[in-house]
Amino acid sequence: MDLPGLSAVRAVHLVRDGKLTPLDLAEAYVDRIARHDPAVKAFACFDPDKVRAAAASCRPGPLQGIPIGVKDVLDTADMPSEYGSPIWQGWQPRADAAAVAAARAAGGVVVGKTVTTEFATRQPGPTMNPVNPAHTPGGSSSGSAAGVGAGLFPLAFGTQTAGSVIRPAAFCGVVGYKPTFGLICRSGMKIMSDSLDTVGVIARTVADCALFAGAVSGRDLGDPDAKPQRAPRIGICRSPVWSAAAPETVALIERVSDALGRAGASICQRELPEDFAELIEAHPIVMNAESARSLAWELTRFPDLISEGLRERLAFGLSQTEAALDHAYAVFARMQAAFPRAMEGLDVLVTPAAPGEAPKGLEWTGDPVFNFIWTSLHVPCVTVPAGTGPNGLPLGIQIVGRRGEDRAVLAGARWVQAALG
């Protein structure tokens, strides 16, 4: 049996039925990591003996025995948390972040810490795209997305402030789920933007994402694999940033729209009202102003150990006037309140997950232009693989819904994925 090829849902069933032990599953992944991670570099910290010990003592629960990658902005009591920054090299927290503690309590086996960009925002780490190592895996959840894509673990935590779950998942050809803001507890996370930071999950299937996020949040997110009573009502949304779409994404949206219609969905074109374009300016103001204050200690004590690119963004944040910041917060509140009306008569929106394929090189993790609007709105988003682009790299399609309707968005994402074949 190809144990690393199993979905998390299937592996849990085998463990419960006594047909698979967590230790056997862990050994299979330890072997795969040894063979494949040198070409991917997904891990910031990996200790095979700790993985074996955790598997041997894991608790019964919804995640029993399943290996989990933990993005290195979430604290772990048994592994360093360095947040992608030399300032925190070797730092060992005393406690797990709440989401990590919940995963262990549900029977999950933490397999290691995954590479993040600097404070989940700027300087990339060494991780490479598992499909083509000459290309970025995306960021900031670089190691989590690449590790799932390379089969190094079936589940991983990511976080998103702009596009850091959805974009890397799309680039690596896997499923990424950014829940409704606050659905997964952020306690014990290195917070950058209190108004935006969202803990999300990455997996190979939509059902695995629902299993994982449900287990760590205490929410019933349903079974996305269950057959729906009817085909969904879908709005094809090009959003106010459509001009950033690469040719392969323009073609993708047309192809997806046709395929969903043929599969029985009710399809319409749904543009966001013009006011939503105000988020293009408001998002970076809020994100960078809050990040600059979150990193006050680092900026004061170790400015030379912060990358030049991040220092520039933090300086931009600190330069914002009180009036500018208040206006940006007001835009957030107004657009969040208006979004349900923009989706009237629809179950979900379908929109690009990224401008196109993963960019070549590791110096840049790609543009979050197709993500930050939805992050600002605090709504749930899922990306599913939707073919490949001109260079053979994965393309993803993003499914978006109303705040709090995560179960419906996950079900819609699974329907879309099945319709695309």
Side-chain angles (χ1 to χ4, degrees):
M1 186 185 299
D2 175 22
L3 297 184
L6 295 173
S7 71
V9 169
R10 177 63 177 153
V12 166
H13 284 309
L14 291 173
V15 171
R16 287 178 180 170
D17 292 344
K19 298 177 181 178
L20 175 65
T21 70
L23 189 55
D24 286 342
L25 187 60
E27 287 289 1
Y29 275 102
V30 165
D31 178 66
R32 185 169 178 84
I33 290 166
R35 288 185 288 114
H36 293 281
D37 192 52
V40 178
K41 295 182 170 52
F43 284 100
C45 178
F46 169 67
D47 183 334
D49 290 335
K50 285 185 177 180
V51 177
R52 296 183 181 104
S57 61
C58 69
R59 301 181 183 186
L63 301 177
Q64 186 174 2
I66 303 303
I68 296 166
V70 175
K71 183 178 178 178
D72 197 23
V73 292
L74 295 167
D75 284 348
T76 42
D78 55 350
M79 284 172 268
S81 294
E82 298 180 338
Y83 316 131
S85 169
I87 296 171
W88 289 92
Q89 186 174 2
W91 165 244
Q92 178 57 65
R94 182 177 180 180
D96 285 336
V100 177
R104 295 195 212 256
V109 174
V110 173
V111 72
K113 301 300 286 290
T114 61
V115 170
T116 175
T117 63
E118 178 189 21
F119 295 116
T121 183
R122 275 291 176 240
Q123 190 73 14
T127 308
M128 293 171 276
N129 192 299
V131 178
N132 185 331
H135 291 252
T136 180
S140 61
S141 304
S142 311
S144 289
V148 171
L152 308 183
F153 34 80
L155 303 176
F157 282 114
T159 65
Q160 182 157 312
T161 310
S164 293
V165 168
I166 299 297
R167 188 174 78 261
F171 285 169
C172 294
V174 294
V175 178
Y177 165 41
K178 184 207 79 67
T180 291
F181 178 77
L183 185 135
I184 298 175
C185 181
R186 300 182 307 177
S187 178
M189 172 185 168
K190 181 63 172 173
I191 297 291
M192 289 293 285
S193 176
D194 195 54
S195 298
L196 293 164
D197 287 354
T198 307
V199 178
V201 299
I202 298 172
R204 290 195 293 265
T205 73
V206 178
D208 283 358
C209 282
L211 170 71
F212 187 20
V216 300
S217 67
R219 307 292 185 91
D220 179 4
L221 297 175
D223 177 10
D225 285 337
K227 185 177 180 179
Q229 294 181 347
R230 61 169 175 80
R233 300 165 298 175
I234 296 174
I236 304 297
C237 182
R238 286 169 173 79
S239 82
V241 293
W242 178 246
S243 61
E248 61 262 32
T249 296
V250 174
L252 174 69
I253 287 290
E254 294 299 327
R255 186 169 71 249
V256 166
S257 180
D258 290 344
L260 299 182
R262 288 195 303 271
S266 173
I267 300 293
C268 71
Q269 304 298 314
R270 182 61 59 93
E271 301 297 330
L272 295 179
E274 290 183 6
D275 288 356
F276 282 81
E278 295 182 50
L279 290 168
I280 297 171
E281 181 177 347
H283 176 275
I285 290 174
V286 170
M287 182 180 76
N288 290 295
E290 291 186 345
S291 295
R293 286 160 178 80
S294 294
L295 292 180
W297 181 77
E298 290 88 347
L299 269 172
T300 301
R301 295 288 301 275
F302 303 103
D304 293 342
L305 295 181
I306 297 174
S307 71
E308 181 180 358
L310 180 53
R311 286 200 307 270
E312 290 175 355
R313 290 290 82 202
L314 300 180
F316 167 79
L318 290 173
S319 73
Q320 300 304 309
T321 64
E322 183 176 355
L325 192 54
D326 285 346
H327 176 72
Y329 284 131
V331 170
F332 273 31
R334 184 157 41 86
M335 295 302 99
Q336 289 166 9
F339 185 64
R341 293 193 299 276
M343 276 196 63
E344 189 173 352
L346 300 174
D347 297 309
V348 294
L349 298 176
V350 165
T351 194
E357 293 178 309
K360 191 171 184 179
L362 303 181
E363 298 79 20
W364 184 50
T365 62
D367 192 341
V369 65
F370 283 107
N371 313 120
F372 68 80
I373 286 177
W374 315 114
T375 309
S376 303
L377 293 173
H378 290 176
V379 296
C381 314
V382 179
T383 183
V384 297
T388 56
N391 297 305
L393 287 155
L395 297 174
I397 199 74
Q398 185 173 198
I399 298 87
V400 178
R402 299 172 185 82
R403 184 171 181 170
E405 294 188 4
D406 294 68
R407 188 169 179 164
V409 171
L410 287 161
R414 182 65 187 98
W415 192 96
V416 168
Q417 186 178 35
L420 296 179

